[in-house]
Structures are given as C-alpha cells and as structure tokens.
Amino acid sequence: MAKFPTDPGQDSYDVVIIGGAIMGSSLAWHLSTSPDFDGSVLVVERDPSYAACSTAHTNSCIRQQFGNALNIRISQYTAEILRDFRAHLGGDDRVPDQHIQSFGYLYLAGDEAGADRLRRAHAVQQECGVPSRLLTPGEIAEAYPFYALDDVILGSHNARDEGYWDGGAVFEWFRRKAQDNGAEFIAGEVAGLEKDRSGSRVEAAQLSSGERIACGVVVNAAGPRAARVAGMIGRDIPVEPRKRFSWVFKAEQPLSGELPLTIDTSGVHVRQDGPDTYLAGGHLADDPAADPDDFEMDPDFWMDVAWPAIATRIPQFEAIRVINEWAGHYAFNTFDQNAIVGPDPEVSNFLYMNGFSGHGLQQAPAMGRGLAEWITSGAYQTLDLGPFHLDRVLRGERFGESAII
C-alpha cells in the first residue's frame, strides 16, 4: 500500500489532480518528464490503498480492434510504451520489463448487423496498420477447435499488441516515477472547488480536512466519482459507476490451446488467464448505476447467464471450478461510452480525464501525454484528443465507436 502524507507541502500548486490511480498517475508522470513544464503538481488521492479504484479491479487488457482510428492510435501508443517500458521511464533498473500476452481478441458475430460492424471496423483497423483478420466459422474452427460455432457467421481476430498485461505494475511505476520527479501525492479528499468572481476559473480546492489549496489548473481524474467532482463547478457530466463482474476459474478439461479473449454474442467475454486458468467477465442486462462503494457480487448472474453462455460457446467449460471472483466499476459514459477529456468550455482551467467506460487502463498513457501537452502548451502535440472534449456531449454529437465491450 502506498503511504502518502495527509498534508500538502505548500498551499499553492500549478496543477492539482483529483484522483491518483492510473489516469492521475499517468498525467503526473508525463508532466514531470515534460521539458516544457517546470511547475508543481499535487495529486489528491482519497484512498492510498487503491483497494476500491477501477484500476485495482481491471482485467488488464489491451486491444487494437476498435472501430475508430483515434481509439486505435491511443492503444498503439500504449503498446509502444509497453514494448520498452523501462526505457520510456528513464532507464531505471528498478522498473520491470513489460510484455503483452498477445493471444488477441476474437469478436464473434451472430447476425448480419454484427458482421457488418466487424467489417467496417476491420477496414479502419487496416488503415491504421492493425493486422486483424476476418474469419469464417470454418477458419475459426480450424484455429480453435474447442468452440461451438453453429450460431456464428463471422469473427475478427488480431494477435499483435492485443491481449493482457501487468497494468498494476505500469500504474505503480507511473506513480513512483512521478513522485521521484517531484510530483506530490497526498491522502485526502477534495470537498469543494472555489471559482473566481467571473465563474470562468477555479481558484482553489478545498480539502475535507479544511485546507485550501490554490491551483493554476485542476484535473478531474476521479474515476467512477467523476460526476461528483464535476458537480463542484456546477457541471453535470454523464459519467456514473457501472458494475462489472469477473471470475477466474479452472476447467476439468483444459483447452488444448491458448484461449483468445472471446467476445461472445451473448455479451459475456472469456480469455486465458494463466497456464491452466481462465477469466470471464460480464454485466447485468439492465446495467444500472451503482454506488462507488458497492462491490457485492451477483451469484445469480454467474449461474443463470455467464456460465451457461461460456459453456454453450466452449462445451469443455461445462465442468469448471471458480477460484476467484470480484466486482469492479467502469466509469461509464452513458452518452456514448467514450472518454470525456480536455478543458471545460466555460471553466477554462478545469480539465476532464473521465468516462473511459472500460478502456481506461489501455488509454491512460496517451491520455496522460495529451493532457500534459494541453497544460503546457494549450494544444495537443501528438494525437488530437479534441473529439473527446465535453463540447460534443453538450452539442449532442456522439463520438462514434462500434467496438464497445
């Protein structure tokens, strides 16, 4: 568990980041290494154990099979970071090497509408250099003979830079290296934000301890609590906690080969998790908003929905034993299930880093880099993250992404 002081070292910072999980830590690290930034950074984290954050409950996956080029480019940057993580973090010998277990994602389409989505996404992926392949049921069966495919008409698979990785270690070292470079992390909670008389800027953050911290920029990286923080400037954003369930299991009859992360037509997904273990995930059909402190499992969902779907798709999984399970939260953007990033259109020094809807871990490196660029120069220097700005929500224009899990 990280040990943070409870009192800030000063009463004013150039950047105050609310939330110190992987998003806040990525931004703190990117700022701390930017040659264009020599300011002070304070990260306020309400739970230094990180036991309840979305980062701690992630399935730690990365994919290139999106339907929008920007989301693909974002994941490609993460893959670039992971390929030489130690070098990216300055060559520190303490930083562990990283590796993507690239068994790939396998999307299954059971109707023509689903197949058309895969075809359109595949065309975009090809333009971005992603070597994904569209597969007929016969081709899927040849590569992976353990599937039952009677209801499948098309699949899509990519085995480069797509699978799972050690997201916890990447998060930990973003945070530790940011601290080494001078970013300050404290245990605390922001209880309110003070705006100036015009209402166009945040002047200070009020901590629950009663301390007042003046700030040049404030960043909302509060994960499932993002809407609460946005409400402190009078803004209503469509981000809420949504429960996601995960199970790790062993099979009485293990598969003969490695299992790709399979997105079933039922909506349940399942993948290899270790040499002889598998991981499944899913959510309730009605998918209600959850309390951010609610991590209770739903045994009926496993017995009635998830396990039957898995066993139908992979008959060898009719006899399995669950060895671990947990519930976590997506910071779910109910508007279009894509990130809300960048400046508020009215409160100019309040920045969003929210609503990743399950994509957050794999998108954190590019989002940290992009917001660091915005803070230091007022513009994006690498990937243009403008399509993620809140303006689109206020205009009612959805960011199109067909590959939402």
Side-chain angles (χ1 to χ4, degrees):
M1 182 177 96
K3 294 182 179 179
F4 300 156
T6 56
D7 298 320
Q10 53 199 62
D11 59 10
S12 178
Y13 292 84
D14 294 293
V15 180
V16 173
I17 302 171
I18 304 173
I22 195 165
M23 283 295 166
S25 291
S26 173
L27 174 56
W29 177 75
H30 279 90
L31 282 171
S32 75
T33 58
S34 171
D36 300 319
F37 182 79
D38 60 359
S40 55
V41 176
L42 176 69
V43 182
V44 183
E45 171 52 47
R46 64 185 302 277
D47 177 20
S49 75
Y50 292 105
C53 69
S54 293
T55 302
H57 296 95
T58 178
N59 290 346
S60 201
C61 297
I62 182 172
R63 59 186 165 111
Q64 311 301 322
Q65 289 185 83
F66 287 94
N68 184 289
L70 180 53
N71 278 330
I72 295 171
R73 298 298 187 197
I74 287 167
S75 275
Q76 287 174 330
Y77 176 61
T78 299
E80 176 188 328
I81 287 275
L82 295 178
R83 272 192 291 273
D84 204 352
F85 187 57
R86 182 181 296 153
H88 274 283
L89 267 69
D92 188 331
D93 288 340
R94 298 173 301 164
V95 177
D97 289 328
Q98 292 298 310
H99 175 67
I100 299 173
Q101 300 289 339
S102 291
F103 48 67
Y105 279 51
L106 176 63
Y107 287 82
L108 299 177
D111 56 30
E112 278 301 327
D116 284 343
R117 284 193 295 272
L118 292 185
R119 294 184 188 103
R120 289 194 299 270
H122 179 260
V124 177
Q125 292 155 20
Q126 297 298 292
E127 291 174 1
C128 293
V130 178
S132 55
R133 296 187 304 140
L134 294 175
L135 302 174
T136 66
E139 290 170 326
I140 298 170
E142 183 176 358
Y144 306 105
F146 42 75
Y147 291 117
L149 299 167
D150 289 347
D151 63 334
V152 171
I153 62 175
L154 190 67
S156 179
H157 181 254
N158 166 49
R160 190 177 77 190
D161 294 336
E162 193 162 285
Y164 72 95
W165 50 291
D166 191 350
V170 171
F171 155 52
E172 172 74 6
W173 282 99
F174 274 155
R175 179 186 62 78
R176 290 178 65 173
K177 294 301 290 182
Q179 289 179 289
D180 288 350
N181 294 340
E184 186 177 339
F185 283 64
I186 65 167
E189 189 163 10
V190 173
L193 297 172
E194 297 178 15
K195 291 190 286 186
D196 64 10
R197 299 178 82 176
S198 69
S200 62
R201 292 183 60 82
V202 176
E203 288 189 327
Q206 290 282 355
L207 302 185
S208 56
S209 62
E211 292 182 81
R212 180 183 184 275
I213 307 297
C215 54
V217 173
V218 62
V219 181
N220 180 356
R225 290 177 168 82
R228 296 183 182 181
V229 174
M232 295 176 188
I233 65 163
R235 179 70 72 187
D236 182 20
I237 62 171
V239 177
E240 61 188 31
R242 294 285 184 91
K243 264 192 184 182
R244 294 296 181 266
F245 302 108
S246 297
W247 304 268
V248 176
F249 63 89
K250 288 191 171 186
E252 185 176 281
Q253 300 180 57
L255 303 180
S256 57
E258 201 167 54
L259 176 65
L261 196 154
T262 306
I263 298 93
D264 189 54
T265 55
S266 66
V268 175
H269 59 269
V270 60
R271 66 163 169 84
Q272 195 81 28
D273 192 54
D276 61 352
T277 58
Y278 307 92
L279 183 147
H283 61 84
L284 299 175
D286 57 351
D287 200 19
D291 186 283
D293 294 315
D294 176 12
F295 295 94
E296 185 177 353
M297 293 295 289
D298 187 324
D300 292 339
F301 180 70
W302 170 251
M303 294 299 295
D304 298 341
V305 178
W307 181 21
I310 294 166
T312 298
R313 183 62 61 207
I314 304 173
Q316 284 177 241
F317 285 168
E318 289 183 357
I320 62 176
R321 176 170 58 89
V322 174
I323 59 175
N324 194 16
E325 63 181 15
W326 65 89
H329 297 120
Y330 277 6
F332 193 81
N333 177 357
T334 61
F335 180 68
D336 62 10
Q337 294 80 65
N338 275 289
I340 297 174
V341 171
D344 186 88
E346 296 174 357
V347 184
S348 60
N349 67 335
F350 183 88
L351 304 184
Y352 298 95
M353 206 176 189
N354 308 120
F356 295 93
S357 306
H359 308 150
L361 197 76
Q362 65 186 302
Q363 294 191 330
M367 296 301 176
R369 179 183 63 175
L371 278 192
E373 293 168 352
W374 186 273
I375 290 168
T376 55
S377 70
Y380 301 116
Q381 305 299 320
T382 48
L383 289 175
D384 180 8
L385 302 181
F388 291 123
H389 284 190
L390 181 66
D391 305 64
R392 81 178 191 278
V393 179
L394 302 180
R395 294 192 303 266
E397 296 175 4
R398 287 173 171 79
F399 181 90
E401 175 54 70
S402 60
I404 301 293
I405 300 174

